[in-house]
Amino acid sequence: MAKGIKRKEKEPADEGNDELISDVTLATIKPKQKKTKLAAASERTDVALEASPSGQNKEKVLMLASRGITHRYRHLLGDLCEMLPHTKKEAKLDTKDDRSVINEVAELKGCSSCVYFETRKHKDLYIWFSKTPSGPSVKFHVLNVHTLAELKLTGNHLKGSRAVLSFDATFDQSPHLQVMKEVLAQTFAIPRGHRKSKPFVDHTMSFTVADGRIWIRNYQIVLPSNKKGVQALEGMNLVEVGPRLCLNPIRVFAGSFRGQVLYDNPTYVSPNTLRAEEKRKSSSKYAIKVKRKSKRAAHLEKFQREAGELDDAFDE
Protein backbone atom coordinates (compact mmCIF):
# COMPACT_ATOMS: atom_id res chain seq x y z
CA MET A 1 0.00 0.00 0.00
CA ALA A 2 2.87 2.30 0.70
CA LYS A 3 4.15 1.80 -2.76
CA GLY A 4 0.73 2.62 -4.15
CA ILE A 5 0.55 5.74 -2.00
CA LYS A 6 3.91 6.83 -3.20
CA ARG A 7 2.83 6.40 -6.79
CA LYS A 8 -0.30 8.40 -6.20
CA GLU A 9 1.77 11.15 -4.63
CA LYS A 10 4.09 11.25 -7.63
CA GLU A 11 1.26 11.44 -10.15
CA PRO A 12 0.01 14.90 -9.20
CA ALA A 13 3.62 16.15 -9.17
CA ASP A 14 4.09 14.78 -12.70
CA GLU A 15 0.85 16.39 -13.81
CA GLY A 16 2.00 19.69 -12.43
CA ASN A 17 5.30 19.35 -14.20
CA ASP A 18 3.49 18.51 -17.42
CA GLU A 19 1.33 21.58 -17.02
CA LEU A 20 4.41 23.71 -16.41
CA ILE A 21 6.21 22.18 -19.38
CA SER A 22 3.17 22.66 -21.62
CA ASP A 23 2.89 26.30 -20.54
CA VAL A 24 6.56 26.91 -21.22
CA THR A 25 6.46 25.16 -24.58
CA LEU A 26 3.35 27.05 -25.63
CA ALA A 27 4.93 30.32 -24.55
CA THR A 28 8.06 29.57 -26.53
CA ILE A 29 6.48 27.93 -29.58
CA LYS A 30 3.69 30.40 -30.27
CA PRO A 31 5.97 33.39 -31.02
CA LYS A 32 8.06 31.20 -33.33
CA GLN A 33 4.96 30.19 -35.27
CA LYS A 34 4.01 33.84 -35.67
CA LYS A 35 7.49 34.70 -36.92
CA THR A 36 7.48 31.91 -39.47
CA LYS A 37 4.09 32.96 -40.79
CA LEU A 38 5.25 36.54 -41.20
CA ALA A 39 8.55 35.52 -42.88
CA ALA A 40 7.09 32.66 -44.94
CA ALA A 41 6.99 34.59 -48.21
CA SER A 42 10.58 35.84 -47.97
CA GLU A 43 11.87 32.40 -46.96
CA ARG A 44 10.11 30.76 -49.89
CA THR A 45 11.55 33.24 -52.35
CA ASP A 46 15.04 32.78 -50.90
CA VAL A 47 14.77 29.00 -51.18
CA ALA A 48 13.40 29.27 -54.71
CA LEU A 49 16.26 31.54 -55.79
CA GLU A 50 18.84 29.21 -54.26
CA ALA A 51 17.25 26.16 -55.90
CA SER A 52 16.67 27.69 -59.34
CA PRO A 53 19.73 27.58 -61.61
CA SER A 54 18.72 30.73 -63.46
CA GLY A 55 18.53 32.93 -60.35
CA GLN A 56 16.83 36.25 -60.84
CA ASN A 57 17.45 36.54 -64.60
CA LYS A 58 14.39 35.16 -66.36
CA GLU A 59 14.54 37.50 -69.31
CA LYS A 60 12.44 36.85 -72.42
CA VAL A 61 12.81 39.05 -75.48
CA LEU A 62 10.11 39.65 -78.09
CA MET A 63 11.39 40.01 -81.68
CA LEU A 64 9.12 41.49 -84.32
CA ALA A 65 9.28 43.67 -87.43
CA SER A 66 7.03 46.05 -89.29
CA ARG A 67 5.49 45.61 -92.72
CA GLY A 68 7.73 46.44 -95.65
CA ILE A 69 10.95 45.02 -94.19
CA THR A 70 13.58 44.19 -96.82
CA HIS A 71 15.30 40.83 -97.25
CA ARG A 72 18.59 42.03 -95.74
CA TYR A 73 16.96 43.33 -92.58
CA ARG A 74 14.84 40.18 -92.34
CA HIS A 75 18.02 38.08 -92.48
CA LEU A 76 19.52 40.26 -89.74
CA LEU A 77 16.46 39.59 -87.59
CA GLY A 78 16.89 35.86 -88.19
CA ASP A 79 20.58 36.00 -87.25
CA LEU A 80 19.78 37.71 -83.94
CA CYS A 81 17.06 35.15 -83.16
CA GLU A 82 19.53 32.31 -83.73
CA MET A 83 22.11 33.96 -81.48
CA LEU A 84 19.61 34.64 -78.67
CA PRO A 85 17.70 31.47 -77.69
CA HIS A 86 15.59 33.35 -75.12
CA THR A 87 13.75 35.30 -77.84
CA LYS A 88 10.20 34.82 -79.08
CA LYS A 89 9.50 35.78 -82.67
CA GLU A 90 6.18 37.37 -83.57
CA ALA A 91 4.48 38.08 -86.89
CA LYS A 92 4.89 41.42 -88.63
CA LEU A 93 3.18 44.41 -87.11
CA ASP A 94 0.68 46.09 -89.41
CA THR A 95 0.56 49.50 -87.79
CA LYS A 96 3.43 51.99 -87.65
CA ASP A 97 1.74 54.72 -85.61
CA ASP A 98 0.32 53.01 -82.52
CA ARG A 99 3.34 51.23 -81.02
CA SER A 100 1.61 50.72 -77.67
CA VAL A 101 0.14 47.54 -79.15
CA ILE A 102 3.61 46.00 -78.84
CA ASN A 103 3.36 46.21 -75.05
CA GLU A 104 0.18 44.16 -75.13
CA VAL A 105 1.76 41.56 -77.42
CA ALA A 106 4.79 41.32 -75.11
CA GLU A 107 2.50 40.85 -72.11
CA LEU A 108 0.63 38.04 -73.86
CA LYS A 109 3.91 36.35 -74.75
CA GLY A 110 5.31 36.79 -71.24
CA CYS A 111 8.26 38.90 -72.42
CA SER A 112 9.93 41.60 -70.37
CA SER A 113 11.94 43.12 -73.26
CA CYS A 114 11.24 43.88 -76.89
CA VAL A 115 13.29 44.45 -80.05
CA TYR A 116 11.24 46.09 -82.80
CA PHE A 117 12.54 46.44 -86.38
CA GLU A 118 10.84 49.43 -87.99
CA THR A 119 11.40 49.97 -91.72
CA ARG A 120 10.63 53.23 -93.50
CA LYS A 121 10.34 53.62 -97.30
CA HIS A 122 11.85 50.14 -97.79
CA LYS A 123 15.26 51.74 -97.19
CA ASP A 124 15.77 52.96 -93.64
CA LEU A 125 15.89 50.61 -90.64
CA TYR A 126 15.19 51.75 -87.08
CA ILE A 127 15.55 49.40 -84.10
CA TRP A 128 13.71 49.93 -80.83
CA PHE A 129 15.09 48.35 -77.64
CA SER A 130 12.43 48.58 -74.97
CA LYS A 131 11.72 47.26 -71.48
CA THR A 132 8.02 46.45 -71.48
CA PRO A 133 5.66 47.69 -70.19
CA SER A 134 7.14 50.51 -68.08
CA GLY A 135 10.30 51.41 -70.04
CA PRO A 136 12.79 52.84 -70.71
CA SER A 137 13.15 52.49 -74.49
CA VAL A 138 15.84 53.54 -76.96
CA LYS A 139 15.44 54.25 -80.67
CA PHE A 140 18.42 53.64 -82.98
CA HIS A 141 19.05 54.21 -86.67
CA VAL A 142 20.86 51.15 -88.08
CA LEU A 143 23.77 51.56 -90.48
CA ASN A 144 26.41 49.29 -92.04
CA VAL A 145 24.37 46.09 -91.83
CA HIS A 146 26.18 42.88 -92.83
CA THR A 147 24.44 39.54 -92.25
CA LEU A 148 26.02 36.11 -91.77
CA ALA A 149 25.14 35.10 -95.33
CA GLU A 150 26.97 38.13 -96.74
CA LEU A 151 30.13 37.94 -94.65
CA LYS A 152 30.94 34.20 -94.78
CA LEU A 153 33.66 34.54 -92.16
CA THR A 154 35.71 31.66 -90.77
CA GLY A 155 34.49 32.09 -87.17
CA ASN A 156 31.88 29.72 -85.77
CA HIS A 157 30.29 28.96 -82.42
CA LEU A 158 27.55 26.79 -80.98
CA LYS A 159 23.97 27.79 -81.66
CA GLY A 160 22.38 28.97 -78.43
CA SER A 161 25.63 29.23 -76.44
CA ARG A 162 26.01 32.06 -73.95
CA ALA A 163 28.15 35.06 -74.83
CA VAL A 164 30.48 37.31 -72.87
CA LEU A 165 29.24 40.90 -73.28
CA SER A 166 32.11 43.39 -73.59
CA PHE A 167 31.21 47.08 -73.26
CA ASP A 168 33.51 49.98 -73.97
CA ALA A 169 34.58 52.14 -71.01
CA THR A 170 32.93 55.12 -72.74
CA PHE A 171 29.50 53.79 -71.70
CA ASP A 172 30.18 54.83 -68.09
CA GLN A 173 31.04 58.44 -68.91
CA SER A 174 27.55 59.81 -69.64
CA PRO A 175 24.08 59.01 -68.23
CA HIS A 176 22.36 58.31 -71.57
CA LEU A 177 25.08 55.79 -72.50
CA GLN A 178 24.62 54.09 -69.13
CA VAL A 179 20.92 53.65 -69.89
CA MET A 180 21.73 52.25 -73.34
CA LYS A 181 24.29 49.88 -71.83
CA GLU A 182 21.78 48.52 -69.32
CA VAL A 183 19.07 48.03 -71.96
CA LEU A 184 21.48 46.28 -74.36
CA ALA A 185 22.92 44.11 -71.58
CA GLN A 186 19.50 42.91 -70.45
CA THR A 187 18.51 42.19 -74.05
CA PHE A 188 21.61 40.30 -75.21
CA ALA A 189 22.44 38.52 -71.93
CA ILE A 190 21.21 34.92 -72.19
CA PRO A 191 19.80 33.67 -68.84
CA ARG A 192 21.84 31.00 -67.15
CA GLY A 193 20.18 27.59 -67.32
CA HIS A 194 17.72 28.54 -70.08
CA ARG A 195 16.14 25.44 -71.60
CA LYS A 196 17.18 26.36 -75.15
CA SER A 197 20.68 27.57 -74.29
CA LYS A 198 23.91 25.57 -74.28
CA PRO A 199 26.01 25.45 -71.07
CA PHE A 200 29.06 26.84 -72.88
CA VAL A 201 30.65 30.27 -73.28
CA ASP A 202 32.46 30.19 -76.61
CA HIS A 203 31.89 33.65 -78.10
CA THR A 204 31.86 37.29 -77.09
CA MET A 205 29.87 40.30 -78.25
CA SER A 206 31.64 43.64 -78.40
CA PHE A 207 29.84 46.98 -77.96
CA THR A 208 32.13 49.90 -78.83
CA VAL A 209 31.35 53.63 -78.92
CA ALA A 210 33.05 55.53 -81.76
CA ASP A 211 31.97 58.69 -83.60
CA GLY A 212 28.88 58.91 -81.40
CA ARG A 213 27.64 55.49 -82.57
CA ILE A 214 27.58 51.98 -81.12
CA TRP A 215 29.41 49.33 -83.17
CA ILE A 216 28.39 45.72 -82.51
CA ARG A 217 30.62 42.78 -83.39
CA ASN A 218 30.47 39.05 -82.58
CA TYR A 219 33.68 37.01 -82.10
CA GLN A 220 34.43 33.36 -81.49
CA ILE A 221 36.77 32.56 -78.57
CA VAL A 222 39.49 30.18 -79.80
CA LEU A 223 41.58 28.49 -77.09
CA PRO A 224 44.76 26.79 -78.33
CA SER A 225 45.48 23.30 -76.99
CA ASN A 226 48.81 22.08 -75.62
CA LYS A 227 50.65 18.93 -76.62
CA LYS A 228 48.70 17.06 -73.97
CA GLY A 229 45.42 18.29 -75.46
CA VAL A 230 44.66 20.66 -72.59
CA GLN A 231 43.30 24.09 -73.54
CA ALA A 232 45.19 27.07 -72.13
CA LEU A 233 44.22 30.72 -71.82
CA GLU A 234 47.63 31.83 -73.08
CA GLY A 235 47.51 32.62 -76.77
CA MET A 236 43.71 32.97 -76.85
CA ASN A 237 42.44 34.40 -80.16
CA LEU A 238 39.23 36.00 -81.36
CA VAL A 239 37.79 35.15 -84.77
CA GLU A 240 34.90 37.25 -86.07
CA VAL A 241 31.66 35.43 -86.76
CA GLY A 242 29.12 38.15 -87.54
CA PRO A 243 26.69 39.78 -88.04
CA ARG A 244 27.86 43.40 -88.11
CA LEU A 245 25.78 46.46 -87.44
CA CYS A 246 26.15 50.05 -86.30
CA LEU A 247 23.58 51.79 -84.09
CA ASN A 248 23.15 55.55 -84.25
CA PRO A 249 21.15 56.67 -81.17
CA ILE A 250 18.24 59.01 -81.81
CA ARG A 251 16.21 59.31 -78.60
CA VAL A 252 15.83 57.74 -75.17
CA PHE A 253 12.27 57.60 -73.78
CA ALA A 254 11.21 57.17 -70.17
CA GLY A 255 8.38 54.80 -71.09
CA SER A 256 8.02 51.87 -73.45
CA PHE A 257 7.79 53.31 -77.02
CA ARG A 258 6.52 56.58 -75.53
CA GLY A 259 6.87 58.91 -72.57
CA GLN A 260 9.16 61.76 -71.68
CA VAL A 261 12.26 62.24 -73.84
CA LEU A 262 15.29 61.67 -71.61
CA TYR A 263 17.90 62.21 -74.33
CA ASP A 264 17.81 63.62 -77.84
CA ASN A 265 20.86 63.25 -80.07
CA PRO A 266 21.75 66.76 -81.35
CA THR A 267 24.06 65.45 -84.09
CA TYR A 268 21.54 63.08 -85.63
CA VAL A 269 20.44 63.87 -89.18
CA SER A 270 17.55 61.91 -90.68
CA PRO A 271 18.20 59.98 -93.90
CA ASN A 272 15.41 61.94 -95.60
CA THR A 273 17.36 65.16 -95.05
CA LEU A 274 20.53 63.56 -96.43
CA ARG A 275 18.72 62.33 -99.54
CA ALA A 276 17.16 65.79 -100.05
CA GLU A 277 20.61 67.39 -99.90
CA GLU A 278 22.00 64.92 -102.43
CA LYS A 279 19.06 65.61 -104.73
CA ARG A 280 19.61 69.32 -104.33
CA LYS A 281 23.27 68.89 -105.26
CA SER A 282 22.41 66.85 -108.33
CA SER A 283 19.86 69.45 -109.41
CA SER A 284 22.41 72.22 -108.88
CA LYS A 285 24.70 70.56 -111.44
CA TYR A 286 22.13 71.20 -114.18
CA ALA A 287 21.59 74.75 -112.95
CA ILE A 288 25.35 75.39 -113.10
CA LYS A 289 25.47 73.99 -116.64
CA VAL A 290 22.65 76.30 -117.82
CA LYS A 291 24.31 79.24 -116.11
CA ARG A 292 27.57 78.54 -117.90
CA LYS A 293 25.82 78.42 -121.27
CA SER A 294 24.04 81.73 -120.69
CA LYS A 295 27.28 83.32 -119.48
CA ARG A 296 29.10 82.10 -122.59
CA ALA A 297 26.37 83.49 -124.86
CA ALA A 298 26.51 86.87 -123.10
CA HIS A 299 30.30 86.92 -123.43
CA LEU A 300 30.16 86.20 -127.18
CA GLU A 301 27.51 88.86 -127.66
CA LYS A 302 29.52 91.44 -125.76
CA PHE A 303 32.82 90.77 -127.49
CA GLN A 304 31.81 90.30 -131.11
CA ARG A 305 34.48 90.39 -133.80
CA GLU A 306 34.30 93.32 -136.17
CA ALA A 307 33.55 92.59 -139.84
CA GLY A 308 36.55 92.67 -142.16
CA GLU A 309 37.02 93.48 -145.86
CA LEU A 310 37.74 89.88 -146.83
CA ASP A 311 34.90 88.22 -144.94
CA ASP A 312 32.77 87.85 -148.08
CA ALA A 313 35.67 86.88 -150.36
CA PHE A 314 34.62 83.26 -150.66
CA ASP A 315 30.91 83.90 -150.82
CA GLU A 316 29.32 83.17 -154.14
Side-chain angles (χ1 to χ4, degrees):
M1 295 298 291
K3 292 181 180 179
I5 293 169
K6 288 180 181 179
R7 287 178 183 175
K8 287 181 180 179
E9 289 176 356
K10 287 180 181 179
E11 286 176 0
D14 293 337
E15 289 177 359
N17 292 334
D18 294 338
E19 290 177 358
L20 292 173
I21 292 169
S22 62
D23 294 338
V24 172
T25 52
L26 288 173
T28 55
I29 290 172
K30 283 182 180 179
K32 289 183 179 179
Q33 289 177 352
K34 290 180 181 178
K35 289 181 181 178
T36 52
K37 288 180 181 179
L38 293 173
S42 60
E43 289 180 0
R44 287 172 187 169
T45 53
D46 295 339
V47 172
L49 290 175
E50 291 177 359
S52 62
S54 59
Q56 296 182 357
N57 189 2
K58 295 183 179 180
E59 192 78 20
K60 292 181 182 179
V61 182
L62 177 67
M63 285 270 191
L64 75 163
S66 63
R67 290 287 179 185
I69 188 171
T70 60
H71 66 283
R72 175 177 290 181
Y73 301 148
R74 187 175 64 252
H75 291 171
L76 177 63
L77 177 63
D79 294 341
L80 293 179
C81 289
E82 290 182 357
M83 288 173 54
L84 307 176
H86 63 298
T87 58
K88 290 188 176 181
K89 193 175 180 181
E90 182 62 22
K92 296 179 182 179
L93 191 68
D94 293 330
T95 180
K96 291 185 179 180
D97 298 328
D98 188 12
R99 301 187 189 92
S100 60
V101 182
I102 302 176
N103 296 327
E104 299 177 2
V105 176
E107 185 179 0
L108 292 174
K109 292 288 183 179
C111 299
S112 56
S113 299
C114 178
V115 180
Y116 176 50
F117 283 63
E118 183 180 2
T119 309
R120 296 284 183 178
K121 297 184 177 181
H122 301 276
K123 297 178 182 179
D124 308 323
L125 176 63
Y126 300 92
I127 293 184
W128 290 77
F129 291 90
S130 175
K131 295 293 296 180
T132 57
S134 58
S137 57
V138 188
K139 183 180 181 181
F140 294 99
H141 180 220
V142 186
L143 303 169
N144 301 333
V145 175
H146 299 282
T147 60
L148 290 172
E150 293 176 352
L151 294 174
K152 295 182 181 179
L153 299 172
T154 57
N156 192 12
H157 61 80
L158 288 175
K159 181 180 179 181
S161 60
R162 302 179 68 213
V164 177
L165 303 182
S166 174
F167 288 89
D168 189 7
T170 314
F171 280 97
D172 299 329
Q173 296 180 0
S174 55
H176 68 278
L177 289 177
Q178 292 177 0
V179 175
M180 296 177 191
K181 175 184 175 180
E182 191 64 28
V183 172
L184 292 173
Q186 295 187 21
T187 302
F188 287 94
I190 302 174
R192 183 181 178 184
H194 192 271
R195 59 187 181 88
K196 291 184 180 180
S197 65
K198 303 291 191 305
F200 303 102
V201 179
D202 59 352
H203 66 107
T204 176
M205 294 192 68
S206 172
F207 300 87
T208 308
V209 178
D211 299 332
R213 302 174 183 179
I214 301 175
W215 304 78
I216 301 177
R217 297 291 184 267
N218 183 28
Y219 299 95
Q220 177 193 0
I221 301 174
V222 180
L223 298 175
S225 57
N226 300 334
K227 296 180 180 180
K228 298 181 181 180
V230 180
Q231 293 181 345
L233 295 178
E234 297 179 358
M236 180 179 63
N237 296 324
L238 297 178
V239 182
E240 189 174 358
V241 181
R244 296 176 181 175
L245 65 154
C246 176
L247 303 178
N248 188 13
I250 302 175
R251 287 194 182 105
V252 179
F253 297 91
S256 179
F257 300 101
R258 56 187 177 183
Q260 184 182 359
V261 178
L262 302 179
Y263 171 75
D264 191 0
N265 189 1
T267 61
Y268 171 73
V269 181
S270 66
N272 292 330
T273 305
L274 295 176
R275 282 192 292 267
E277 290 180 358
E278 291 179 359
K279 190 175 181 181
R280 199 176 298 112
K281 288 180 181 179
S282 62
S283 63
S284 63
K285 291 180 180 179
Y286 178 75
I288 292 172
K289 187 176 180 181
V290 172
K291 188 176 180 180
R292 285 178 180 175
K293 285 184 177 181
S294 60
K295 188 176 180 180
R296 179 62 179 172
H299 178 76
L300 293 176
E301 185 178 355
K302 183 177 180 180
F303 301 97
Q304 289 184 357
R305 189 175 62 88
E306 297 180 357
E309 297 177 356
L310 303 175
D311 288 345
D312 55 351
F314 298 96
D315 295 340
E316 293 181 359

